Amino acid sequence: MEIRVLDIIQWTMILIAFVAAIVKRKNFGPARQYFEWYMLFVICVQICSELLYAYGSDEYGNSIIYNIYDVVTYLFFLRWFYHIVPYKKLVLISTLVYGIAFVTSLFVDDYIVDFSRINTYTGTLVILILTNAYYVSLLKREEIVSFTRLPSFWIASGLLIFNIGYLPLTLLILSKSTFILFDLSIVTTLLTVVLYGCFIKAFLCPKEI
């Protein structure tokens, strides 16, 4: 029952973020472009995961769904950082590194049966590097702007907090201990609430600054 409550909390945050993105999409500039489609993708992933978990084979589970989710997510935010971060070469190098890691993972990891470690670890580290680059660019801005009024600030903050927790969380989940998995479901929910809570705040910002 408790695990079900956590699922409901995650679903609620995702749906609120999707609705906010749809309602406010007319105000979206480069910092929020295509996020309504990304949130729709997240919802589709969640639905497919639930269906596979309930009716799929125990042999395969839903690993392939979350592997696809990770690939699309990393590519989406690499594109996002390219439009937000002024250090274009850093973004392109990061994209190249991730691309090499992704191709390597296709030969090393089994995307259907197991969780793709190479793809996820590399993608997470790349996102963390680019998030820090974004904060550096904010600090170097000459004009005085309240960071909390920037949609990009909230998106980057959500990504930073989520991915800082995601790396150790993934390592623990892969230990496949029943006790650890139960405890970590609470941590996963907290990270999800922070991520989509920051997205919601970003979507509700009145305009691009």
Side-chain angles (χ1 to χ4, degrees), residues 70-90:
D70 281 346
V71 172
V72 173
T73 294
Y74 295 134
L75 291 176
F76 178 84
F77 283 106
L78 282 169
R79 176 202 167 276
W80 182 77
F81 277 114
Y82 184 79
H83 290 281
I84 299 301
V85 176
Y87 314 117
K88 305 302 182 186
K89 289 185 179 179
L90 176 61

Side-chain angles (χ1 to χ4, degrees), residues 45-66 68 112:
V45 167
Q46 292 295 108
I47 292 174
C48 290
S49 175
E50 293 282 350
L51 291 174
L52 275 178
Y53 183 79
Y55 304 107
S57 168
D58 293 335
E59 179 182 358
Y60 299 116
N62 54 15
S63 296
I64 186 172
I65 297 296
Y66 283 108
I68 294 173
I112 297 178

Side-chain angles (χ1 to χ4, degrees), residues 5-21:
V5 170
L6 297 179
D7 290 341
I8 292 172
I9 293 173
Q10 293 188 48
W11 264 109
T12 300
M13 294 302 296
I14 292 171
L15 290 174
I16 293 175
F18 175 64
V19 171

